[in-house]
Amino acid sequence: MPDSAEPAPLHGIGVSPGVAGGPVLRVAGVPALPAPAPVTDPAAEAGRAVAALREVVAELHRRAGRSGEKTLVDVLRAQAMMAEDPLLLEAVREKVLAGSDGPHAIDAAFATHRAAFEAAGGYLAERVADLDDLRDRAVAVCLGRPMPGVPSPGHRYVLTAWDLAPADTVDLDPEQVVALVTESGGPTSHTAILARALGLPAVVACPGARDLADGTTVLVDGATGLVRVDVDPVEVTAAETADREHRTAVAAISGPGRTSDGRPVALLANIGSARDLAAADGAEGVGLFRTELLFLDRSREPELAEQAEAYREVFAALAGRRVVIRTLDAGADKPLPFLHQADEPNPALGVRGLRLVRQRPELLRTQLAAIARAAEQTGAEVWVMAPMVATRAEAAEFADAVHAAGLPKAGVMVEVPAAALRAGQLLEVVDFLSIGTNDLSQYTFAADRQSGLLAELLDPWQPALLRLIAEVGTAGRAAGKPVGVCGEAAADPLLAPVLVGLGMTSLSMSGRALGPVRAALAARSSADCARLARLALDADDAQRARKAVA
């Protein structure tokens, strides 16, 4: 129990297990624009403002050079191109020559660009946040202040923020940042996914996190969501030592996933490219190979040969093991420039995933041909699944296309309640089902995955969500076909036995979660898993479900 002298702890949603502590440091904030200043030398002031923009460009290129993730590198370089747009630079100069000081000229020039992007709609409107980030960085430089972002003090600390942007995370050094606490975000937010990938304890949707003063010593429990405040550093050290000992013991457990009485549960990895395989050492295969990373920021669809080579690289590294590859999951809410899709009033419910095939059938034909070519060249056991399937007819049509391409295993993702409720009918026409808990939560609770205010509804412990997972498990047992989870819920060591008790035959997750989940299953029998599943299903809400199982 916390010492009585401690202030009241903060409570959030634990999204990445582990215990760590240290002094708090906050992400550097966005500087407020001061009152306009008189300009005595317009030419020098214009040069200062343009130099600030060029410093931002240089910093973005430096960050891109430090990142090993191609997608993030592409995003940062695209941002740099925006900041060095000649029209933007000229607009800044014109604003200064018209009487504005440097910071206000930068702000005004970006406001004009922002309005143009918003008016254009679609993909450009999605880039407004990038413009805002560039403006904030350039204004900070012009004012002689640090750019907004993650501090690097040279010692261990706990990072707190409202939320973390992708650009912030490039400079996040796991040797310094020992835990993450954000006031916004949810179980599927960028912060949560990053923390799990880095193996950092993390708590999101934690009210009061930004109010913690820099230097305050906290102790973060990424499993329970508890953040203790003003903790004795000696106690922090003891808690971290105990956590390391636990992780060491967990890492010593190896072999295929199974319960204590020998029930097999395939433990698989989620990847986006061959670069992710190193972190997935110890996985029995891949349960989710996201192919959309190959398509991002492309003005033209990747050709068959390029796709086949990207897939072959992964398949060859996993020869003899299962690789579940998901066909292109993109659309109006994940826009790809070459698709030229019309704007939709509610893109998350629009033409995305397999629904794209209705408009662009050649996308699926080319991708399946590339997958088949890569599979033929390697010894991997390739299974193919489609995203955003809602009906038996959609599932059957996809399975026919997969088999026609010469691929033996066809499945679909369960991401909408309709698919979960009709899982038995889907399994009449496909070989397996894989539950995407992130989207299934979103559509079950009508709660936007990106909304921190709705994070509680997106908690994978919600009994209604677990009930839908149980429907899929029951259908899988009846059909004698595999059903698994590839959403972030599978990475929770406390929840994993519950999912097995609900009938899941495989769990797919980030590589760092494999050890803790393997250990959690090895400590429980099939009967234990079934009992824990009943406790979670019978709970009134997510918090009570988690407590009942814990």
Side-chain angles (χ1 to χ4, degrees), residues 53-387:
L53 276 168
R54 288 182 172 146
E55 173 56 28
V56 171
V57 171
E59 176 62 17
L60 290 170
H61 282 302
R62 283 193 291 269
R63 288 178 174 225
R66 289 194 294 266
S67 175
E69 174 52 55
K70 181 180 183 301
T71 302
L72 193 51
V73 169
D74 291 343
V75 168
L76 293 171
R77 286 178 177 163
Q79 267 196 297
M81 289 176 64
M82 290 183 189
E84 58 189 353
D85 180 352
L87 293 177
L88 177 64
L89 297 175
E90 186 57 34
V92 169
R93 290 191 188 95
E94 290 177 355
K95 298 291 183 185
V96 172
L97 296 177
S100 292
D101 60 31
H104 285 85
I106 291 170
D107 181 64
F110 271 103
T112 301
H113 269 55
R114 192 184 202 280
F117 275 42
E118 286 182 323
Y123 179 75
L124 286 178
E126 297 271 348
R127 305 276 70 80
V128 162
D130 293 337
L131 287 177
D132 292 344
D133 180 59
L134 291 170
R135 176 202 61 208
D136 295 341
R137 293 175 185 276
V139 167
V141 173
C142 205
L143 290 171
R145 299 178 188 173
M147 292 187 205
V150 176
S152 181
H155 61 75
R156 289 158 52 87
Y157 69 95
V158 174
L159 180 65
T160 64
W162 171 252
D163 201 359
L164 291 176
D168 293 330
T169 64
V170 178
D171 283 339
L172 195 155
D173 180 1
E175 295 299 315
Q176 295 187 56
V177 179
V178 297
L180 302 174
V181 183
T182 63
E183 200 151 323
S184 181
T188 62
S189 66
H190 179 76
T191 300
I193 294 169
L194 170 79
R196 284 188 284 263
L198 295 177
L200 294 175
V203 176
V204 301
C206 184
R210 288 190 301 169
D211 297 331
L212 293 169
D214 282 355
T216 303
T217 300
V218 299
L219 184 63
V220 179
D221 189 327
T224 65
L226 183 72
V227 179
R228 291 173 54 194
V229 181
D230 282 342
V231 183
D232 187 326
V234 174
E235 189 174 353
V236 169
T237 300
E240 290 182 333
T241 300
D243 185 62
R244 279 195 300 272
E245 290 173 352
H246 171 71
R247 291 185 184 224
T248 300
V250 162
I253 301 174
S254 60
R258 62 184 63 251
T259 58
S260 62
D261 57 337
R263 175 180 170 183
V265 181
L267 298 183
L268 310 169
N270 294 342
I271 68 168
S273 69
R275 286 186 297 275
D276 298 332
L277 290 172
D281 186 40
E284 296 169 55
V286 167
L288 173 61
F289 178 5
R290 305 179 184 92
T291 59
E292 55 270 16
L293 297 183
L294 184 63
F295 293 77
L296 291 176
D297 297 318
R298 303 286 291 261
S299 59
R300 299 178 61 183
E301 175 191 355
E303 294 186 356
L304 191 154
E306 181 184 356
Q307 291 190 48
E309 176 55 28
Y311 307 149
R312 189 202 62 78
E313 190 176 0
V314 171
F315 297 168
L318 295 161
R321 287 185 278 175
R322 184 196 315 179
V323 181
V324 182
I325 184 169
R326 182 177 69 188
T327 56
L328 180 61
D329 187 16
D333 71 326
K334 299 178 184 177
L336 296 178
F338 67 84
L339 291 177
H340 304 296
Q341 285 185 275
D343 291 340
E344 295 184 83
N346 195 341
L349 301 179
V351 180
R352 55 169 292 200
L354 187 63
R355 298 171 182 178
L356 277 172
V357 176
R358 299 173 186 172
Q359 299 177 341
R360 300 284 298 273
E362 74 281 2
L363 283 174
L364 182 62
R365 283 198 298 268
T366 300
Q367 188 168 29
L368 291 178
I371 294 170
R373 179 185 295 183
E376 188 177 0
Q377 296 171 347
T378 62
E381 181 188 346
V382 179
W383 300 14
V384 188
M385 66 180 179

